[in-house]
Amino acid sequence: MSENRAAPGGSVLLAPGLEVSRIGLGTNRLLGPHGFGHPKDRLASLAVLRRAVELGITHIDSGERYRPRVANGLIREAIQPCPADLVVATTAGVEEDGWRSPYAYREARALAGNVDNDLSELGREQLDLVLLFGGVTSDNDGVPLPQGLEVLADLRERGLIRHIGLNECWPEGVSLACGITPIAAVQADFDLFRPQDDDLRAACRERGVVFVARYESADEMLRTADEEQLRALDAVATRHAATRAQTALAWLLARYPSDAVLLGARTVAELEENVAAGRLRLTPTDLARLARP
């Protein structure tokens, strides 16, 4: 990390030479409705990206799907010069009717084509982290997961990709992927209150792969909390003069210290609230109170 920047919530090593802040920024909320199209407020989107770097966020995702190319262009425009420790994750897939689908690869060479496009949009000679959709093994419309990984591994050998990850996955997919080529991370939606993906997280830990819990926003963490859990959050939040969402995020970071968290933010204020939550230190009493419901 740069000496003059404090990473929110500490940092985690995705792979050798790839250290990122535990709280990353997802850019889907910077784009149009549901991630389609260009941002309604382009200047606000640029301000969020610039502020993210100032706050020490070193993991920026250019979009799970839809328009990562638009997000890559925003990143390039907003963040100049690019800090040496900034990791930009981009999703492999093919363009279909103006948006990128991580599900349908069509032809393996389309993956290589999008790597070239992303390099151009970001103004780089190497991509930091390229995510491949890990839920596809074989499909009439897609390239099997092993073939897609082999394509990305070849691009890494050529120096165009630094690290490979998976976007959504199942536990067996982690083992399958690691048997083909080393992977650095798995990004997936995660339910804090009903952690049905603990088996996926366990598979990641076993293989030395970082699990990145992904949310559209900090408030989205609360979507499945019941009334008793919300009361517990409110009690702890009151003690720390924090919000429910901030407390939930702090709890997530405390429960899973080897994980990273990817959060969307539409405004600088929302971004700053997320980072403040990453610096919130819950006590053992707080953690016991939150775990009890």
Side-chain angles (χ1 to χ4, degrees):
M1 297 293 176
S2 300
E3 291 183 357
N4 61 340
R5 299 196 298 155
S11 61
V12 65
L13 195 67
L14 290 183
L18 191 66
E19 187 180 40
V20 301
S21 48
R22 291 194 64 202
I23 297 179
L25 172 67
T27 61
N28 274 354
R29 283 171 62 83
L30 297 180
L31 305 182
H34 308 295
F36 287 99
H38 293 265
K40 289 185 176 180
D41 191 337
R42 179 175 155 278
L43 292 180
S45 297
L46 294 173
V48 168
L49 288 164
R50 292 179 182 127
R51 184 60 176 149
V53 172
E54 291 174 354
L55 291 172
I57 287 177
T58 59
H59 181 193
I60 295 179
D61 188 278
S62 65
E64 175 192 354
R65 60 194 76 168
Y66 306 138
R67 296 291 181 100
R69 187 175 297 176
V70 175
N72 284 340
L74 284 171
I75 292 168
R76 181 180 183 181
E77 181 178 354
I79 307 172
Q80 292 291 345
C82 182
D85 58 355
L86 180 67
V87 172
V88 178
T90 188
T91 301
V94 297
E95 299 291 333
E96 292 187 331
D97 300 324
W99 62 284
R100 181 175 300 179
S101 168
Y103 305 102
Y105 306 146
R106 301 296 183 194
E107 298 176 348
R109 65 173 177 265
L111 301 183
N114 267 343
V115 166
D116 288 337
N117 290 337
D118 289 341
L119 287 168
S120 176
E121 291 296 334
L122 287 166
R124 295 187 174 189
E125 296 182 355
Q126 184 184 62
L127 296 181
D128 299 309
L129 176 63
V130 176
L131 301 165
L132 187 68
F133 181 65
V136 175
T137 52
S138 61
D139 186 279
N140 291 335
D141 294 328
V143 172
L145 175 62
Q147 188 175 346
L149 286 169
E150 288 166 2
V151 171
L152 295 184
D154 177 67
L155 295 173
R156 181 170 53 193
E157 285 294 316
R158 292 164 50 192
L160 299 179
I161 293 174
R162 189 176 174 196
H163 295 286
I164 297 170
L166 297 178
N167 187 8
E168 298 292 350
C169 197
W170 75 111
E172 295 78 8
V174 176
S175 298
L176 173 63
C178 289
I180 298 169
T181 185
I183 62 173
V186 170
Q187 288 188 182
D189 296 338
F190 184 69
D191 192 330
L192 176 60
F193 297 95
R194 301 172 189 171
Q196 72 279 9
D197 288 327
D198 271 348
D199 53 349
L200 174 58
R201 294 183 59 261
C204 289
R205 285 198 309 273
E206 181 181 350
R207 293 284 184 164
V209 175
V210 170
F211 180 79
V212 184
R214 183 176 57 211
Y215 302 90
E216 278 291 301
S217 67
D219 286 330
E220 191 192 5
M221 288 185 178
L222 307 175
R223 66 185 182 278
T224 61
D226 60 31
E227 288 301 317
E228 188 176 2
Q229 289 163 333
L230 291 175
R231 284 195 293 271
L233 282 170
D234 285 342
V236 175
T238 298
R239 291 186 58 212
H240 292 274
T243 65
R244 277 180 178 175
Q246 287 177 321
T247 305
L249 175 55
W251 184 37
L252 175 61
L253 293 170
R255 285 182 67 182
Y256 304 114
S258 63
D259 292 356
V261 182
L262 190 69
L263 286 170
R266 186 174 287 124
T267 66
V268 168
E270 186 179 8
L271 173 72
E272 290 176 342
E273 287 181 359
N274 294 346
V275 172
R279 294 173 179 152
L280 184 64
R281 295 293 176 259
L282 301 181
T283 68
T285 301
D286 295 331
L287 299 177
R289 178 71 181 90
L290 292 169
R292 192 172 300 125

